[in-house]
Amino acid sequence: MMVEEIVMKIKFDQLVETFEEILKSRGVKEETAHIAALNFARTSADGVYSHGVNRFPRVIEYLDKGVIDGNAEPECVFAAGALERWDGHMGLGNVNAAKAMDRACDLAKIHGIGIVAIGNTNHWMRGGDYGWQAAGRGCIGICWTNTTPNMPAWGGLEPKIGNNPLILSVPVSDGNHVVVDMAMSQFAYGKIELARMKGEMLPVPGGWDTDGNITKDPAEIEKTHRVLPVGYWKGSGLSIVLDLVAAVLSGKNSVTDIGRKYEEEVGLSQVLIAIDPEAAGTREDTDRIVKNVVDDIKASTPEKEGGSIFYPGEIEIRTRKDHMENGIPVLEEVWEKIQNLKK
Amino acid sequence: MMVEEIVMKIKFDQLVETFEEILKSRGVKEETAHIAALNFARTSADGVYSHGVNRFPRVIEYLDKGVIDGNAEPECVFAAGALERWDGHMGLGNVNAAKAMDRACDLAKIHGIGIVAIGNTNHWMRGGDYGWQAAGRGCIGICWTNTTPNMPAWGGLEPKIGNNPLILSVPVSDGNHVVVDMAMSQFAYGKIELARMKGEMLPVPGGWDTDGNITKDPAEIEKTHRVLPVGYWKGSGLSIVLDLVAAVLSGKNSVTDIGRKYEEEVGLSQVLIAIDPEAAGTREDTDRIVKNVVDDIKASTPEKEGGSIFYPGEIEIRTRKDHMENGIPVLEEVWEKIQNLKK
């Protein structure tokens, strides 16, 4: 990022087609390739480049190495009413998660609430996508994943816990859903790297320095690999319990297991919950309730003159609108790399 | 807290009897008084004095003023499979929440997962209690409440959002469950007050000072009433969506509504979810999975020599054991106040 970067604008459909073609060239069947391609394209369309276009080459690398099985189908291995336990058979994580959330929504339409716990799955890319998906089906979505150990537990030195992203979404009938998507670390490693490359400090403390002090210096944090949980001891505790719920309900890997078993971040456990406000008899009130809250929050006096207060998901909605009209920014270097993945 | 305090040790059963007697003297019927009394006593037994013994007089004040209806029975107003919507009829918040979580567990035993959304209810005291309750029934518990507006949304000045405590619990067969109970503010106002009285700084930043800077100084935060969300923008976003889900599913008050309608923190909305690992077919694996994770976390090298790494709920378990054997510490001043509530 110290060199000048050339940014291209690629149309959404072209991104999808390119991803599909490359996935199919690795033997991934059409339907699976389409679901995966849409997920990568939507993620960049929403401005989360790290888990969209920029991440695509690594997933192809994992397919080529065989640590992801591009033709695995997720399978329901245990069903009891509104709860299902699935085995992801080490397939494409974003496809598995999309299918699991779709099934959770089906279950919610029947039982009011539905839950799918999936084990032996892989990185789901941007977790927020499954929140938007549930909301798109008129459901409240709640989902989380575990990860490789990448953060110390509060009071400890070694990375023992995951940053385990948690997503909650609330549907609004015009499609402008409210979606929060938060990892349990204050900053992603990618954000820390970017700040270091730009020679900037982080806006708030993000980890520990080599003297054991909490710091905003990204270069120091990269040396210690000790990133800070959101809310210090609080995010550490939440991370641990999210992991336990995912591991217990899937019957598969905890963060601890993932760290011990695999070189790469694979074999993850996830929980996908959908709740249907229709079943609560409150579907008709939802838009009014959301609008009332959102309007009030946005009417806050800004801390900084001329500042704006955003509700969760609002920035993604604006970014998406712009990108769907004007194309999605892709680094020329990344786009070339992707072209070279074609067979 | 600047004067010397005299601490008494009261036995758990004596606390329960005292609370019951006082509640019954306000016309609260026996069963309701018993559930409420147990909740207050358990909360102090676990070391959360602020929402146990110390909070009891305020609840009696609210009963006497009529803002809490001691004889209201929570009512299921809409049921659809695994989801129920309840009206708390402005009854005792801890009794309503205990009954709602109990029902969520019943639903989980039938459907694998169960959810009760309750509106028109009151402060549930310590939210963790409902996590312990679900775990005591062999279920994973997930629950949260909204609150009065007590925190600014990220980027804003006025308190517009709630600190909306979120609880998750995982059952372990020996009763040493894993429970995380976290408000969306970094510190409770009570903790900030205590630090100011002791003349101490907070251990990490807790809010804003009068110059608009983030600070550890409790006296400054008390002046601005601007407390910091956990993880800055992240906790702000999570707080907003937790509130929306509770308001939408209960069809009742959001944080915004509570702030506009009431002088006191009443008329709250809550969500109580239970999930039965038995329904996932993983009940037998739960203890092993939890032990594996907990052992690994506790084996971290402590940041400070001689330090310990605790898992969520561990400190409560230790405190409870000590207090059940040796009595629960109660300030003499508070105990006298409580005796004076007897009629």
Side-chain angles (χ1 to χ4, degrees):
Chain A
M1 305 284 165
M2 299 299 272
V3 295
E4 205 182 324
E5 289 175 337
I6 303 166
V7 177
M8 310 167 65
K9 295 266 188 155
I10 313 279
K11 286 283 176 191
F12 183 84
D13 290 345
Q14 196 188 341
L15 271 186
V16 174
E17 276 166 39
T18 305
F19 294 151
E20 262 191 62
E21 183 188 335
I22 295 167
L23 285 163
K24 285 196 284 186
S25 76
R26 265 65 181 181
V28 176
K29 67 178 186 187
E30 183 135 12
E31 187 217 346
T32 307
H34 186 65
I35 297 171
L38 278 175
N39 171 273
F40 285 113
R42 272 197 306 259
T43 298
S44 267
D46 281 12
V48 189
Y49 312 109
S50 59
H51 289 88
V53 177
N54 296 358
R55 182 79 173 212
F56 184 77
R58 200 198 301 179
V59 173
I60 297 301
E61 182 198 321
Y62 280 21
L63 281 169
D64 290 344
K65 280 167 71 176
V67 293
I68 296 178
D69 178 353
N71 274 313
E73 284 286 331
E75 181 194 7
C76 175
V77 288
F78 206 94
L83 184 154
E84 292 188 0
R85 176 156 62 86
W86 286 22
D87 190 321
H89 294 304
M90 302 299 269
L92 281 159
N94 54 0
V95 178
N96 282 351
K99 289 188 174 182
M101 182 53 102
D102 202 47
R103 180 60 185 155
C105 291
D106 291 343
L107 292 168
K109 301 284 174 187
I110 302 166
H111 303 283
I113 184 168
I115 175 170
V116 174
I118 182 167
N120 285 339
T121 192
N122 287 313
H123 197 304
W124 67 7
M125 303 298 118
R126 179 183 63 141
D129 212 45
Y130 316 103
W132 289 98
Q133 180 189 353
R137 291 199 57 191
C139 288
I140 288 164
I142 304 176
C143 55
W144 65 92
T145 183
N146 63 10
T147 66
T148 202
N150 54 23
M151 197 161 65
W154 188 251
L157 287 181
E158 304 89 349
K160 293 276 193 186
I161 67 176
N163 66 350
N164 302 351
L166 170 68
I167 294 91
L168 281 92
S169 65
V170 176
V172 178
S173 57
D174 65 6
N176 291 330
H177 312 307
V178 183
V179 182
V180 67
D181 176 359
M182 60 180 276
M184 293 301 133
S185 55
Q186 187 65 52
F187 295 101
Y189 274 104
K191 284 267 170 65
I192 293 169
E193 185 188 17
L194 198 64
R196 193 245 308 146
M197 283 172 155
K198 289 184 176 172
E200 291 173 356
M201 289 286 122
L202 295 167
V204 298
W208 282 266
D209 65 19
T210 43
D211 295 326
N213 298 312
I214 287 172
T215 183
K216 294 180 183 178
D217 184 343
E220 283 289 301
I221 299 167
E222 285 187 323
K223 283 180 207 157
T224 63
H225 284 275
R226 293 180 64 204
V227 297
L228 200 63
V230 290
Y232 307 87
W233 52 91
K234 290 188 165 191
S236 172
L238 184 53
S239 160
I240 292 166
V241 186
L242 289 172
D243 175 40
L244 286 176
V245 175
V248 162
L249 289 178
S250 70
K252 299 292 181 191
N253 295 324
S254 63
V255 168
T256 311
D257 296 323
I258 295 161
R260 287 179 185 162
K261 285 188 191 173
Y262 308 111
E263 296 279 313
E264 291 91 358
E265 189 168 45
V266 294
L268 311 184
S269 303
Q270 292 158 2
V271 173
L272 300 105
I273 298 173
I275 311 167
D276 186 6
E278 193 76 48
T282 56
R283 186 70 197 89
E284 283 176 19
D285 303 315
T286 299
D287 285 5
R288 176 184 55 76
I289 290 168
V290 172
K291 189 177 184 310
N292 189 37
V293 170
V294 164
D295 286 354
D296 187 54
I297 288 166
K298 292 193 67 71
S300 301
T301 308
E303 190 184 16
K304 284 169 190 142
E305 214 182 301
S308 289
I309 292 87
F310 297 100
Y311 68 85
E314 187 177 3
I315 291 171
E316 287 84 345
I317 291 167
R318 291 183 183 201
T319 307
R320 185 187 309 159
K321 193 168 177 295
D322 171 39
H323 288 171
M324 295 310 271
E325 283 167 14
N326 306 310
I328 296 159
V330 178
L331 292 175
E332 192 184 44
E333 184 197 338
V334 173
W335 190 238
E336 272 175 24
K337 204 170 170 183
I338 288 174
Q339 296 306 317
N340 290 334
L341 294 171
K342 287 184 182 174
K343 277 187 178 171
Chain B
M1 303 283 168
M2 300 298 272
V3 295
E4 206 183 326
E5 289 175 337
I6 303 165
V7 178
M8 309 168 64
K9 295 267 189 154
I10 312 281
K11 286 282 176 193
F12 183 84
D13 290 345
Q14 195 188 340
L15 271 185
V16 174
E17 276 167 36
T18 304
F19 294 150
E20 263 191 61
E21 182 188 336
I22 295 166
L23 285 162
K24 286 195 283 186
S25 77
R26 266 63 180 183
V28 176
K29 68 179 186 186
E30 183 135 10
E31 186 217 349
T32 307
H34 186 64
I35 297 171
L38 278 175
N39 172 273
F40 285 112
R42 272 197 306 259
T43 298
S44 268
D46 281 11
V48 190
Y49 311 110
S50 58
H51 289 88
V53 176
N54 296 359
R55 183 78 174 212
F56 185 77
R58 201 197 303 177
V59 173
I60 297 301
E61 182 198 321
Y62 280 20
L63 281 169
D64 290 345
K65 280 167 73 176
V67 292
I68 296 177
D69 179 353
N71 274 314
E73 285 285 331
E75 182 192 6
C76 174
V77 289
F78 206 93
L83 184 155
E84 292 188 0
R85 177 157 60 87
W86 285 23
D87 190 320
H89 294 304
M90 301 299 268
L92 281 158
N94 54 0
V95 178
N96 283 351
K99 289 187 174 182
M101 183 51 101
D102 202 46
R103 180 62 184 151
C105 291
D106 291 343
L107 291 168
K109 301 283 174 189
I110 301 167
H111 304 283
I113 186 169
I115 175 169
V116 174
I118 181 166
N120 285 340
T121 191
N122 287 314
H123 197 305
W124 67 8
M125 304 298 119
R126 178 182 64 141
D129 212 46
Y130 316 104
W132 289 97
Q133 179 190 353
R137 289 199 58 190
C139 288
I140 288 164
I142 304 176
C143 55
W144 64 91
T145 181
N146 63 10
T147 66
T148 201
N150 54 24
M151 197 160 67
W154 188 251
L157 287 181
E158 306 89 350
K160 292 276 191 185
I161 67 177
N163 66 350
N164 302 350
L166 170 67
I167 294 91
L168 279 93
S169 65
V170 176
V172 179
S173 57
D174 65 5
N176 291 330
H177 312 308
V178 182
V179 182
V180 66
D181 175 0
M182 60 179 277
M184 293 300 132
S185 55
Q186 188 64 53
F187 296 101
Y189 275 103
K191 284 267 168 65
I192 294 169
E193 185 188 16
L194 198 63
R196 193 245 307 147
M197 284 172 156
K198 289 183 176 174
E200 291 172 356
M201 289 287 123
L202 295 167
V204 298
W208 281 266
D209 65 19
T210 43
D211 295 327
N213 298 312
I214 288 173
T215 183
K216 294 180 183 179
D217 184 342
E220 283 291 301
I221 299 167
E222 285 187 324
K223 283 180 206 158
T224 63
H225 284 275
R226 293 180 66 204
V227 297
L228 199 63
V230 290
Y232 307 87
W233 52 91
K234 290 187 165 191
S236 171
L238 183 55
S239 160
I240 292 166
V241 186
L242 289 171
D243 176 39
L244 286 176
V245 175
V248 162
L249 289 178
S250 70
K252 298 293 180 192
N253 295 323
S254 63
V255 168
T256 310
D257 296 323
I258 295 162
R260 286 179 185 161
K261 285 187 189 173
Y262 308 110
E263 296 280 312
E264 293 92 357
E265 188 169 44
V266 295
L268 310 184
S269 303
Q270 292 157 3
V271 173
L272 301 106
I273 298 173
I275 311 167
D276 186 7
E278 193 77 47
T282 56
R283 186 72 196 91
E284 284 175 19
D285 303 315
T286 299
D287 286 3
R288 176 184 54 76
I289 290 168
V290 173
K291 187 176 185 311
N292 189 37
V293 170
V294 164
D295 286 353
D296 187 54
I297 288 166
K298 292 191 68 69
S300 300
T301 308
E303 189 183 18
K304 284 168 190 143
E305 214 182 300
S308 290
I309 291 88
F310 297 101
Y311 68 85
E314 187 176 3
I315 292 170
E316 288 83 344
I317 291 167
R318 291 184 184 201
T319 307
R320 185 187 309 159
K321 192 168 178 294
D322 170 41
H323 289 172
M324 295 310 273
E325 282 168 15
N326 306 311
I328 295 159
V330 178
L331 292 174
E332 190 183 46
E333 184 196 338
V334 173
W335 191 239
E336 270 176 23
K337 204 169 170 183
I338 288 173
Q339 296 306 317
N340 290 335
L341 294 172
K342 288 183 180 173
K343 277 187 178 171

